[in-house]
Amino acid sequence: MGSFVETLRGIVGPAGVLEGDALQARLAGKPQQQARWLVRPADTAEVSQVLAACHAAGVAVVPQGGLTGLVHATDTRPDELILSLERMQQLSVDTTQRVLVAQAGVLLESAQAAAVAAGLMVPVDLGARGSATLGGMVATNAGGNSVIRYGMMRENLRGLEVVLADGTVLDMTNQLVKNNSGYDLKHLFIGSEGTLGVVTRVVLRLCEPPAGRGTALLALPGFDAVAPLLRRLDQALDGTLSAFEVMWQDFYRTVTTPPALTRPPLAHDHPLYVLVECGTADGTERLCEILAAAMEEGTVADATIAQSEREAKALWAMRDDVAQLRRSGPLVAYDISLRLADTGPYIEDLRGAIGRRWPGARVWAFGHLGDGNVHVAVHVPQLDAAGRSELDGLVYTPLQALRGAVSAEHGIGLEKKAWLAISRTPAEFALMRTLKQSLDPRGVLNPGRVFDTPLI
Ligand SMILES: Cc1cc2nc3c(=O)[nH]c(=O)nc-3n(C[C@H](O)[C@H](O)[C@H](O)COP(=O)(O)OP(=O)(O)OC[C@H]3O[C@@H](n4cnc5c(N)ncnc54)[C@H](O)[C@@H]3O)c2cc1C
């Protein structure tokens, strides 16, 4: 392998390749990262040459962005090569076309700052904005809190540049909104978790920022109120509803009791709570009117409307304070998708099943219900590997009959691949394998992530 590493150094320069002690120093304290080389290309041409060399040598490549992924997809084995996009940081904003063009290593936060400086806004936002890269967000088709209004990464890409496993560069960055000239190939790579190609450049649509916002926390009398309330808000807000975050009572209690908060914004005795946000100049007044009608109708039992930016931020901080769930001990976190009508009964059944199996367990449910995405966090005292597998079965197995998804946002990675067949038919699975085989015939890109394929 001496000549292989010389080849890599010839492509990215000596400082662009880490191995041996330098690599061990960088990976210290990260037992899940055991690579043989770490390579840092600076541009697409270098990515292409590195991949061509790996393809020729049969070396497994794991692309890494900001390492904020939640399904262990970037865990690496001792024989693998980490392809870090960290040096690929160029970005520019085109205010005529209203797009941001960026290399894959650009952080979401940097993209957001560049858009704001140009009077525009990146439509996708998530809590890991300070570390997540645009390339990683494309690879995982990341969502976030505003998907209900702006969509996921897929809905916001105007172009993509991808390097295939053998080094072929696919330039799909023409920025066109409409382009039905044959297959729209960029969609193959969005959400493919780095198994079909390496994202090197991203063209992201930018939006006009909302003229203002209204934020409110609502208490609901039960799950049956969720769908009519969502419909009412959508209709009355002319498409400006930008968040609909549902919290079941357990979650709300935990994030609004000491040491999290000393006084809950609304009483603790309601079955469900919803944090809603709209992006209009008169948002607060509009929400007041809509909620008065909803309370009269009985879909809302109580409500508090933020009267200032500070109050709005406090409501969001409460919703985002998932760290409070760890007060009970270690958690297993799930990120699933269901049709709205199935969600309430599913959560109740799941609570019952987990409670019967582990009477000391705790279950919290919350999520972006406007787009069918529920997060379930579970604490089971002294859960061992066999118990974890049993717990996974309780969460995932019912999704098959409901046609739900084992991953809404986070992907499959290494963590969920045993459960992928729950959400995909055998025919879909077979086509996925055909695509992988055809785009990466030697199986060098992220081997074993999403599903198993041989490394040839
Ligand atoms: C606090 C927190 C909040 C989060 N909130 C959300 C949320 O609301 N919604 C949501 O969807 N996700 C959320 N996530 C998950 C995470 O931020 C996303 O999965 C993110 O998109 C991954 O980007 P990354 O740069 O960190 O990629 P990494 O974690 O480095 O990689 C993730 C996957 O993408 C592949 N990859 C990385 N870069 C490339 C590339 N250039 N080309 C090809 N493949 C690549 C990797 O091989 C891996 O399979 C959250 C994570 C945290 C820690």
Side-chain angles (χ1 to χ4, degrees):
M1 281 291 179
S3 62
F4 176 67
V5 80
E6 285 315 312
T7 304
L8 295 176
R9 288 202 182 101
I11 299 166
V12 296
V17 181
L18 295 183
E19 62 167 350
D21 291 346
L23 180 56
Q24 292 320 314
R26 166 145 168 167
L27 301 182
K30 299 177 188 157
Q32 70 283 15
Q33 309 261 321
Q34 306 266 330
R36 179 143 183 206
W37 306 277
L38 186 148
V39 181
R40 297 179 293 181
D43 58 27
T44 304
E46 290 185 5
V47 173
S48 164
Q49 290 174 59
V50 170
L51 287 184
C54 292
H55 188 252
V59 170
V61 179
V62 179
Q64 288 190 349
L67 299 178
T68 67
L70 297 169
V71 288
H72 296 281
T74 49
D75 291 3
T76 39
R77 292 192 312 252
D79 57 335
E80 292 180 323
L81 178 148
I82 294 174
L83 186 77
S84 168
L85 284 299
E86 67 198 33
R87 287 170 73 200
M88 298 186 53
Q89 293 291 342
Q90 286 174 10
L91 91 164
S92 61
V93 171
D94 178 339
T95 51
T96 307
Q97 199 67 14
R98 283 191 289 181
V99 292
L100 178 137
V101 182
Q103 285 186 307
V106 167
L107 299 182
L108 172 59
E109 195 172 64
S110 311
Q112 289 173 330
V116 168
L120 293 163
M121 185 186 92
V122 173
V124 179
D125 186 28
L126 42 85
R129 65 186 73 78
S131 309
T133 63
L134 296 183
M137 290 176 64
V138 172
T140 55
N141 187 26
N145 291 339
S146 312
V147 170
I148 190 170
R149 178 158 186 196
Y150 299 106
M152 299 174 75
M153 284 299 275
R154 187 181 300 284
E155 284 78 39
N156 290 290
L157 282 169
R158 288 278 182 272
L160 208 56
E161 181 185 75
V162 173
V163 182
L164 299 182
D166 66 358
T168 304
V169 178
L170 281 185
D171 182 348
M172 305 169 283
T173 58
N174 61 16
Q175 306 185 3
L176 300 178
V177 176
K178 293 186 165 184
N179 182 7
N180 285 347
S181 321
Y183 304 154
D184 194 344
L185 294 174
K186 66 177 179 296
H187 289 289
L188 266 184
F189 301 94
I190 303 168
S192 70
E193 299 183 53
T195 59
L196 299 181
V198 174
V199 175
T200 45
R201 246 178 339 141
V202 171
V203 183
L204 204 54
R205 109 184 146 101
L206 299 177
C207 295
E208 297 301 326
R213 70 169 170 170
T215 309
L217 178 70
L218 324 178
L220 270 55
F223 191 82
D224 288 349
V226 172
L229 175 66
L230 178 59
R231 183 103 196 264
R232 177 185 277 279
L233 286 163
D234 244 345
Q235 284 170 341
L237 289 167
D238 306 323
T240 65
L241 180 66
S242 52
F244 190 83
E245 297 291 310
V246 173
M247 294 163 269
W248 271 256
Q249 191 191 69
D250 263 1
F251 179 93
Y252 180 73
R253 274 179 187 261
T254 302
V255 297
T256 56
T257 44
L261 281 184
T262 42
R263 235 186 49 198
L266 295 173
H268 278 151
D269 53 352
H270 301 282
L272 286 168
Y273 299 81
V274 191
L275 180 59
V276 297
E277 189 159 276
C278 64
T280 53
D282 58 347
T284 304
E285 297 74 35
R286 302 270 299 267
L287 282 177
C288 264
E289 285 162 27
I290 299 163
L291 295 180
M295 285 174 92
E296 208 158 289
E297 180 188 73
T299 46
V300 170
D302 199 359
T304 175
I305 300 178
Q307 298 301 325
S308 64
E309 189 65 19
R310 194 177 56 82
E311 287 183 14
K313 278 193 175 143
L315 290 178
W316 273 109
M318 177 267 291
R319 153 64 183 82
D320 288 341
D321 197 7
V322 287
Q324 296 299 330
L325 311 185
R326 296 193 190 278
R327 282 176 359 213
S328 307
L331 286 184
V332 185
Y334 297 94
D335 148 57
I336 58 172
S337 242
L338 285 156
R339 281 177 298 223
L340 186 55
D342 295 330
T343 308
Y346 167 85
I347 293 293
E348 290 323 306
D349 290 352
L350 180 63
R351 258 187 223 292
I354 293 174
R356 281 190 296 280
R357 173 62 184 83
W358 293 284
R362 292 203 60 183
V363 179
W364 296 269
F366 59 104
H368 323 296
L369 244 65
D371 27 271
N373 180 181
V374 198
H375 297 303
V376 181
V378 185
H379 168 67
V380 176
Q382 279 103 41
L383 188 69
D384 59 13
R388 168 64 198 266
S389 177
E390 205 182 329
L391 178 61
D392 287 353
L394 292 181
V395 173
Y396 293 136
T397 308
L399 297 176
Q400 187 151 28
L402 298 172
R403 308 289 311 269
V406 297
S407 170
E409 304 187 305
H410 300 158
I412 298 297
L414 290 170
E415 188 174 302
K416 299 186 184 177
K417 63 182 182 173
W419 302 99
L420 179 57
I422 295 265
S423 305
R424 297 293 181 192
T425 64
E428 284 178 299
F429 225 129
L431 182 55
M432 285 189 206
R433 286 187 189 285
T434 304
L435 289 168
K436 173 72 177 169
Q437 169 67 25
S438 125
L439 293 177
D440 181 14
R442 300 200 67 181
V444 294
L445 274 181
N446 263 352
R449 281 76 172 174
V450 185
F451 50 79
D452 285 323
T453 43
L455 182 62
I456 300 165

